Amino acid sequence: MVSGTQLMEKVLFKIAKQWIAGNTIDDALTSAKNAYQSGRHAIVNKLGEYHTSKKQITTTVNEYQKIINSFRKWKIRGAVSVKPTQIGLSISQKECYRNFEKIILNARNAHVFVWLDMESSEHTDETIEIYNKFFSKYERLGIALQANLKRTEDDLIDLLRIGAKIRLVKGAYREKASISFKSKEDVDKNFVKLMKILFKKGNEFGIASHDGKIIKKAENLSKKYPKKFEFQMLKGIRDELKPKLIKKKFVVSDYIPYGVNWLPYSIRRIKERKRNILLLGSSLIQS
Ligand code: FAD
């Protein structure tokens, strides 16, 4: 007999499949190839964070290496996106640096772009430190910055001074009111402010949002400031908009997560949108 938890997980997996490539590295590579054949670039991320098991960390690092090598072999325009706490930051900075260095050396040989995801605010300083250290060794390295944090404007200006490559996001983590903007209106306002700084002073950046109003504003800014940038969106979200942007000659990247740790990621996506909560409800009723 199927228990309530098993049923819930089965239904969630059915919904989650639109946002994740699947459980395995092969699923991720197939998804990246499909994105590429549809005119999009791929940014692959292995799901999972806060790893403290050295075995799990080694597997994660090895898989990023394999993805990088496959991109090189298949000549796919792709990147990997790494969370510091999945490659050792939860053990020590030294462990994280040692592992990130392996990824960076491999990426440098293969000419593959590497992104550093930004996690919750307790890791912001450490993530920027990692970026500063490795950007001096490899230029095809980018870092995500979150518009919901009050500190981000200063971080952005500092990072742009060294020519950093930025992915601007709204921010996926719940943060204290003392350090963050809480309302959607304030986060959106700050996103637009930071995006203007990026168009004026940055280059090779990513506007990572599904928000139609923000995307329109970016399109307009790009007419005034013709910079090298791309729109980045999560796999399975705003799929109707992506070909339209490509037709207008914008670069669009799909962020493609994979791995067995799909549940927290998918719950985040469900909570983001009322329609997805309704979809979950109706799927449960039908099961
Ligand atoms: P929202 O205000 O959430 O949504 C605006 C509009 O977009 C909605 O009204 C709707 O029309 C559409 N939309 C949004 N979500 C959905 C959905 N699930 N289904 C359908 N339509 C939807 N966060 C981090 O903290 N660190 C990172 O490193 C990071 N990397 C990211 C990389 C990429 C490529 C992307 C796209 C996001 C990343 N995020 C990251 C997540 C980000 O911070 C937001 O939580 C997430 O993108 C939702 O914000 P939004 O800009 O789409 O705007």
Side-chain angles (χ1 to χ4, degrees), residues 129-172:
E129 272 174 44
I130 301 171
Y131 186 79
N132 283 329
K133 182 173 163 69
F134 287 93
F135 184 59
S136 58
K137 297 183 185 187
Y138 185 51
E139 273 201 357
R140 305 200 70 208
L141 179 61
I143 181 170
L145 290 182
Q146 298 150 326
N148 66 332
L149 293 186
K150 290 178 182 168
R151 59 174 286 167
T152 296
E153 185 174 350
D154 290 340
D155 291 336
L156 177 63
I157 290 166
D158 281 351
L159 281 159
L160 287 179
R161 274 198 199 105
I162 59 159
K165 283 138 191 161
I166 308 290
R167 170 204 297 157
L168 187 59
V169 301
K170 288 193 186 175

Short mmCIF file of all heavy atoms in Angstrom, two decimals, residues 129-172:
data_model
loop_
_atom_site.label_atom_id
_atom_site.label_comp_id
_atom_site.label_asym_id
_atom_site.label_seq_id
_atom_site.Cartn_x
_atom_site.Cartn_y
_atom_site.Cartn_z
N GLU A 129 34.50 36.31 -1.33
CA GLU A 129 35.95 36.02 -1.18
C GLU A 129 36.40 34.93 -2.16
O GLU A 129 37.45 35.05 -2.78
CB GLU A 129 36.24 35.53 0.25
CG GLU A 129 36.53 36.65 1.22
CD GLU A 129 36.66 36.12 2.65
OE1 GLU A 129 37.31 35.09 2.87
OE2 GLU A 129 36.06 36.74 3.54
N ILE A 130 35.59 33.88 -2.27
CA ILE A 130 35.94 32.80 -3.23
C ILE A 130 36.03 33.41 -4.64
O ILE A 130 36.95 33.16 -5.39
CB ILE A 130 34.88 31.67 -3.22
CG1 ILE A 130 34.74 31.04 -1.84
CG2 ILE A 130 35.21 30.59 -4.27
CD1 ILE A 130 33.57 30.07 -1.70
N TYR A 131 35.02 34.24 -4.94
CA TYR A 131 35.00 34.84 -6.29
C TYR A 131 36.26 35.65 -6.55
O TYR A 131 36.93 35.48 -7.57
CB TYR A 131 33.75 35.72 -6.47
CG TYR A 131 33.63 36.21 -7.88
CD1 TYR A 131 33.13 35.37 -8.87
CD2 TYR A 131 34.10 37.46 -8.26
CE1 TYR A 131 33.07 35.77 -10.20
CE2 TYR A 131 34.04 37.88 -9.59
CZ TYR A 131 33.52 37.02 -10.54
OH TYR A 131 33.49 37.41 -11.86
N ASN A 132 36.58 36.53 -5.61
CA ASN A 132 37.76 37.40 -5.80
C ASN A 132 39.02 36.57 -6.01
O ASN A 132 39.85 36.88 -6.86
CB ASN A 132 37.94 38.32 -4.60
CG ASN A 132 36.95 39.47 -4.65
OD1 ASN A 132 36.56 39.90 -5.72
ND2 ASN A 132 36.52 39.95 -3.50
N LYS A 133 39.16 35.51 -5.21
CA LYS A 133 40.37 34.70 -5.30
C LYS A 133 40.47 34.00 -6.67
O LYS A 133 41.53 34.00 -7.30
CB LYS A 133 40.36 33.65 -4.18
CG LYS A 133 41.59 32.78 -4.15
CD LYS A 133 41.59 31.89 -2.92
CE LYS A 133 42.55 30.74 -3.05
NZ LYS A 133 43.95 31.09 -3.03
N PHE A 134 39.35 33.44 -7.13
CA PHE A 134 39.44 32.64 -8.35
C PHE A 134 39.26 33.45 -9.63
O PHE A 134 39.71 33.04 -10.70
CB PHE A 134 38.46 31.45 -8.28
CG PHE A 134 38.93 30.40 -7.33
CD1 PHE A 134 38.53 30.38 -6.01
CD2 PHE A 134 39.84 29.44 -7.76
CE1 PHE A 134 39.00 29.42 -5.13
CE2 PHE A 134 40.32 28.47 -6.89
CZ PHE A 134 39.90 28.46 -5.56
N PHE A 135 38.62 34.62 -9.53
CA PHE A 135 38.44 35.45 -10.73
C PHE A 135 39.81 35.93 -11.24
O PHE A 135 40.00 36.13 -12.43
CB PHE A 135 37.53 36.63 -10.43
CG PHE A 135 37.21 37.48 -11.63
CD1 PHE A 135 36.59 36.93 -12.74
CD2 PHE A 135 37.53 38.83 -11.65
CE1 PHE A 135 36.30 37.71 -13.86
CE2 PHE A 135 37.25 39.62 -12.76
CZ PHE A 135 36.62 39.06 -13.86
N SER A 136 40.75 36.09 -10.30
CA SER A 136 42.08 36.51 -10.74
C SER A 136 42.80 35.38 -11.49
O SER A 136 43.75 35.61 -12.23
CB SER A 136 42.91 36.96 -9.54
OG SER A 136 43.01 35.91 -8.62
N LYS A 137 42.31 34.12 -11.32
CA LYS A 137 42.93 33.00 -12.04
C LYS A 137 42.17 32.62 -13.31
O LYS A 137 42.72 32.03 -14.21
CB LYS A 137 42.95 31.76 -11.14
CG LYS A 137 43.77 31.91 -9.89
CD LYS A 137 43.79 30.62 -9.13
CE LYS A 137 44.51 30.82 -7.82
NZ LYS A 137 44.72 29.60 -7.09
N TYR A 138 40.87 32.88 -13.30
CA TYR A 138 40.04 32.47 -14.44
C TYR A 138 38.93 33.49 -14.66
O TYR A 138 38.06 33.68 -13.79
CB TYR A 138 39.44 31.08 -14.17
CG TYR A 138 38.66 30.51 -15.33
CD1 TYR A 138 39.21 30.47 -16.62
CD2 TYR A 138 37.37 30.01 -15.16
CE1 TYR A 138 38.49 29.94 -17.68
CE2 TYR A 138 36.66 29.48 -16.22
CZ TYR A 138 37.22 29.45 -17.48
OH TYR A 138 36.52 28.92 -18.53
N GLU A 139 38.95 34.12 -15.82
CA GLU A 139 38.02 35.23 -16.07
C GLU A 139 36.60 34.80 -16.42
O GLU A 139 35.67 35.59 -16.32
CB GLU A 139 38.56 36.09 -17.21
CG GLU A 139 39.50 37.15 -16.70
CD GLU A 139 39.63 38.28 -17.69
OE1 GLU A 139 39.03 38.21 -18.79
OE2 GLU A 139 40.33 39.23 -17.36
N ARG A 140 36.46 33.53 -16.87
CA ARG A 140 35.12 33.11 -17.25
C ARG A 140 34.39 32.57 -16.01
O ARG A 140 33.99 31.40 -15.95
CB ARG A 140 35.19 32.07 -18.38
CG ARG A 140 35.97 32.61 -19.58
CD ARG A 140 35.68 31.86 -20.83
NE ARG A 140 34.32 32.16 -21.28
CZ ARG A 140 33.57 31.33 -21.99
NH1 ARG A 140 34.04 30.15 -22.31
NH2 ARG A 140 32.36 31.66 -22.36
N LEU A 141 34.32 33.44 -15.02
CA LEU A 141 33.72 33.10 -13.73
C LEU A 141 32.74 34.20 -13.34
O LEU A 141 33.08 35.38 -13.40
CB LEU A 141 34.85 32.98 -12.68
CG LEU A 141 34.43 32.66 -11.25
CD1 LEU A 141 33.73 31.32 -11.15
CD2 LEU A 141 35.66 32.66 -10.33
N GLY A 142 31.53 33.77 -12.97
CA GLY A 142 30.51 34.75 -12.58
C GLY A 142 29.98 34.46 -11.19
O GLY A 142 30.15 33.36 -10.66
N ILE A 143 29.32 35.47 -10.62
CA ILE A 143 28.78 35.32 -9.26
C ILE A 143 27.35 35.88 -9.20
O ILE A 143 27.08 36.92 -9.81
CB ILE A 143 29.70 36.02 -8.23
CG1 ILE A 143 29.16 35.85 -6.80
CG2 ILE A 143 29.90 37.50 -8.53
CD1 ILE A 143 30.13 36.30 -5.71
N ALA A 144 26.48 35.19 -8.49
CA ALA A 144 25.11 35.68 -8.34
C ALA A 144 25.04 36.68 -7.19
O ALA A 144 25.67 36.49 -6.15
CB ALA A 144 24.16 34.51 -8.06
N LEU A 145 24.31 37.76 -7.40
CA LEU A 145 24.03 38.74 -6.33
C LEU A 145 22.52 38.90 -6.20
O LEU A 145 21.80 38.87 -7.20
CB LEU A 145 24.68 40.10 -6.65
CG LEU A 145 26.21 40.20 -6.58
CD1 LEU A 145 26.65 41.63 -6.89
CD2 LEU A 145 26.78 39.75 -5.23
N GLN A 146 22.07 39.11 -4.95
CA GLN A 146 20.63 39.09 -4.66
C GLN A 146 20.06 40.48 -4.38
O GLN A 146 20.51 41.16 -3.45
CB GLN A 146 20.38 38.18 -3.44
CG GLN A 146 20.81 36.75 -3.68
CD GLN A 146 21.26 36.05 -2.41
OE1 GLN A 146 21.84 36.67 -1.52
NE2 GLN A 146 21.03 34.75 -2.34
N ALA A 147 19.05 40.86 -5.16
CA ALA A 147 18.47 42.20 -5.01
C ALA A 147 17.70 42.36 -3.71
O ALA A 147 17.40 43.48 -3.30
CB ALA A 147 17.55 42.49 -6.19
N ASN A 148 17.37 41.27 -3.02
CA ASN A 148 16.62 41.43 -1.76
C ASN A 148 17.53 41.83 -0.59
O ASN A 148 17.06 42.20 0.46
CB ASN A 148 15.84 40.15 -1.41
CG ASN A 148 16.74 38.98 -1.10
OD1 ASN A 148 17.86 38.90 -1.60
ND2 ASN A 148 16.28 38.06 -0.28
N LEU A 149 18.85 41.79 -0.79
CA LEU A 149 19.75 42.17 0.30
C LEU A 149 20.14 43.64 0.19
O LEU A 149 20.52 44.11 -0.89
CB LEU A 149 21.01 41.31 0.29
CG LEU A 149 20.85 39.82 0.61
CD1 LEU A 149 22.22 39.15 0.70
CD2 LEU A 149 20.07 39.59 1.90
N LYS A 150 20.11 44.34 1.34
CA LYS A 150 20.43 45.77 1.33
C LYS A 150 21.90 46.01 0.98
O LYS A 150 22.26 47.04 0.46
CB LYS A 150 20.08 46.38 2.70
CG LYS A 150 18.59 46.45 2.95
CD LYS A 150 18.28 47.02 4.32
CE LYS A 150 16.78 47.02 4.59
NZ LYS A 150 16.46 47.30 5.99
N ARG A 151 22.76 45.06 1.30
CA ARG A 151 24.20 45.23 1.07
C ARG A 151 24.58 45.12 -0.42
O ARG A 151 25.70 45.50 -0.81
CB ARG A 151 24.99 44.17 1.86
CG ARG A 151 24.64 42.73 1.49
CD ARG A 151 25.55 41.71 2.17
NE ARG A 151 26.87 41.70 1.58
CZ ARG A 151 27.93 41.09 2.13
NH1 ARG A 151 27.82 40.48 3.27
NH2 ARG A 151 29.09 41.11 1.51
N THR A 152 23.67 44.61 -1.24
CA THR A 152 24.07 44.20 -2.60
C THR A 152 24.56 45.36 -3.46
O THR A 152 25.48 45.18 -4.27
CB THR A 152 22.93 43.42 -3.28
OG1 THR A 152 22.75 42.22 -2.53
CG2 THR A 152 23.26 43.04 -4.71
N GLU A 153 23.98 46.56 -3.27
CA GLU A 153 24.43 47.69 -4.11
C GLU A 153 25.94 47.92 -3.91
O GLU A 153 26.69 48.07 -4.88
CB GLU A 153 23.64 48.96 -3.79
CG GLU A 153 24.02 50.08 -4.75
CD GLU A 153 23.15 51.32 -4.57
OE1 GLU A 153 22.14 51.27 -3.84
OE2 GLU A 153 23.51 52.35 -5.17
N ASP A 154 26.37 47.90 -2.64
CA ASP A 154 27.80 48.09 -2.35
C ASP A 154 28.63 46.94 -2.93
O ASP A 154 29.69 47.15 -3.52
CB ASP A 154 28.05 48.17 -0.84
CG ASP A 154 27.50 49.46 -0.25
OD1 ASP A 154 27.30 50.40 -1.04
OD2 ASP A 154 27.26 49.51 0.96
N ASP A 155 28.14 45.72 -2.75
CA ASP A 155 28.86 44.54 -3.30
C ASP A 155 29.00 44.65 -4.81
O ASP A 155 30.05 44.37 -5.38
CB ASP A 155 28.11 43.24 -2.95
CG ASP A 155 28.16 42.91 -1.46
OD1 ASP A 155 29.09 43.38 -0.78
OD2 ASP A 155 27.27 42.18 -0.98
N LEU A 156 27.89 45.07 -5.43
CA LEU A 156 27.90 45.16 -6.90
C LEU A 156 28.94 46.18 -7.38
O LEU A 156 29.75 45.89 -8.28
CB LEU A 156 26.49 45.55 -7.39
CG LEU A 156 26.34 45.76 -8.89
CD1 LEU A 156 26.61 44.48 -9.66
CD2 LEU A 156 24.94 46.27 -9.24
N ILE A 157 28.93 47.35 -6.73
CA ILE A 157 29.87 48.40 -7.15
C ILE A 157 31.32 47.93 -6.94
O ILE A 157 32.17 48.07 -7.82
CB ILE A 157 29.55 49.72 -6.43
CG1 ILE A 157 28.22 50.26 -7.02
CG2 ILE A 157 30.66 50.76 -6.60
CD1 ILE A 157 27.57 51.36 -6.23
N ASP A 158 31.58 47.28 -5.79
CA ASP A 158 32.94 46.76 -5.52
C ASP A 158 33.33 45.73 -6.58
O ASP A 158 34.45 45.76 -7.11
CB ASP A 158 32.98 46.03 -4.16
CG ASP A 158 33.07 47.02 -3.02
OD1 ASP A 158 33.28 48.22 -3.29
OD2 ASP A 158 32.90 46.59 -1.86
N LEU A 159 32.42 44.80 -6.86
CA LEU A 159 32.76 43.72 -7.80
C LEU A 159 32.94 44.25 -9.22
O LEU A 159 33.79 43.76 -9.97
CB LEU A 159 31.68 42.63 -7.74
CG LEU A 159 31.81 41.69 -6.54
CD1 LEU A 159 30.50 40.98 -6.24
CD2 LEU A 159 32.92 40.66 -6.78
N LEU A 160 32.14 45.25 -9.59
CA LEU A 160 32.27 45.78 -10.95
C LEU A 160 33.61 46.49 -11.14
O LEU A 160 34.12 46.56 -12.26
CB LEU A 160 31.11 46.71 -11.29
CG LEU A 160 29.76 46.00 -11.53
CD1 LEU A 160 28.67 47.00 -11.84
CD2 LEU A 160 29.86 44.97 -12.66
N ARG A 161 34.19 46.98 -10.04
CA ARG A 161 35.51 47.64 -10.13
C ARG A 161 36.56 46.68 -10.65
O ARG A 161 37.52 47.08 -11.30
CB ARG A 161 35.95 48.15 -8.76
CG ARG A 161 35.41 49.50 -8.48
CD ARG A 161 36.16 50.21 -7.36
NE ARG A 161 35.30 51.27 -6.88
CZ ARG A 161 34.62 51.24 -5.75
NH1 ARG A 161 34.76 50.25 -4.91
NH2 ARG A 161 33.82 52.23 -5.43
N ILE A 162 36.41 45.36 -10.35
CA ILE A 162 37.41 44.40 -10.85
C ILE A 162 36.95 43.72 -12.15
O ILE A 162 37.56 42.77 -12.63
CB ILE A 162 37.78 43.33 -9.78
CG1 ILE A 162 36.53 42.53 -9.34
CG2 ILE A 162 38.50 43.95 -8.59
CD1 ILE A 162 36.87 41.18 -8.70
N GLY A 163 35.82 44.20 -12.68
CA GLY A 163 35.33 43.64 -13.95
C GLY A 163 34.56 42.34 -13.77
O GLY A 163 34.44 41.53 -14.71
N ALA A 164 34.00 42.15 -12.56
CA ALA A 164 33.31 40.88 -12.27
C ALA A 164 32.10 40.66 -13.18
O ALA A 164 31.48 41.62 -13.66
CB ALA A 164 32.84 40.90 -10.81
N LYS A 165 31.80 39.39 -13.38
CA LYS A 165 30.61 39.00 -14.17
C LYS A 165 29.51 38.63 -13.19
O LYS A 165 29.69 37.74 -12.36
CB LYS A 165 30.96 37.83 -15.08
CG LYS A 165 31.73 38.33 -16.27
CD LYS A 165 32.87 37.48 -16.67
CE LYS A 165 33.67 38.26 -17.69
NZ LYS A 165 35.00 37.77 -17.85
N ILE A 166 28.40 39.33 -13.30
CA ILE A 166 27.35 39.22 -12.29
C ILE A 166 26.09 38.58 -12.86
O ILE A 166 25.67 38.91 -13.96
CB ILE A 166 26.97 40.64 -11.77
CG1 ILE A 166 28.21 41.43 -11.32
CG2 ILE A 166 25.90 40.56 -10.67
CD1 ILE A 166 28.88 40.95 -10.07
N ARG A 167 25.49 37.70 -12.05
CA ARG A 167 24.11 37.25 -12.34
C ARG A 167 23.22 37.92 -11.29
O ARG A 167 23.40 37.70 -10.10
CB ARG A 167 23.99 35.74 -12.20
CG ARG A 167 22.52 35.28 -12.24
CD ARG A 167 22.30 33.93 -11.55
NE ARG A 167 23.04 32.90 -12.21
CZ ARG A 167 23.40 31.76 -11.58
NH1 ARG A 167 23.09 31.55 -10.31
NH2 ARG A 167 24.06 30.85 -12.24
N LEU A 168 22.30 38.76 -11.76
CA LEU A 168 21.42 39.44 -10.81
C LEU A 168 20.14 38.63 -10.62
O LEU A 168 19.47 38.28 -11.59
CB LEU A 168 21.11 40.85 -11.34
CG LEU A 168 20.34 41.77 -10.40
CD1 LEU A 168 21.09 41.98 -9.08
CD2 LEU A 168 20.06 43.11 -11.06
N VAL A 169 19.83 38.31 -9.35
CA VAL A 169 18.60 37.57 -9.02
C VAL A 169 17.85 38.34 -7.93
O VAL A 169 18.42 39.21 -7.27
CB VAL A 169 18.91 36.13 -8.51
CG1 VAL A 169 19.69 35.32 -9.52
CG2 VAL A 169 19.66 36.15 -7.16
N LYS A 170 16.58 37.96 -7.73
CA LYS A 170 15.83 38.63 -6.64
C LYS A 170 16.26 38.08 -5.29
O LYS A 170 16.25 38.79 -4.30
CB LYS A 170 14.33 38.43 -6.85
CG LYS A 170 13.78 39.26 -8.00
CD LYS A 170 12.27 39.30 -8.01
CE LYS A 170 11.78 40.02 -9.26
NZ LYS A 170 10.32 39.99 -9.39
N GLY A 171 16.63 36.81 -5.23
CA GLY A 171 17.03 36.21 -3.95
C GLY A 171 16.02 35.18 -3.50
O GLY A 171 14.83 35.49 -3.40
N ALA A 172 16.50 33.97 -3.24
CA ALA A 172 15.59 32.87 -2.94
C ALA A 172 15.51 32.53 -1.45
O ALA A 172 14.77 31.64 -1.07
CB ALA A 172 16.04 31.63 -3.73
#
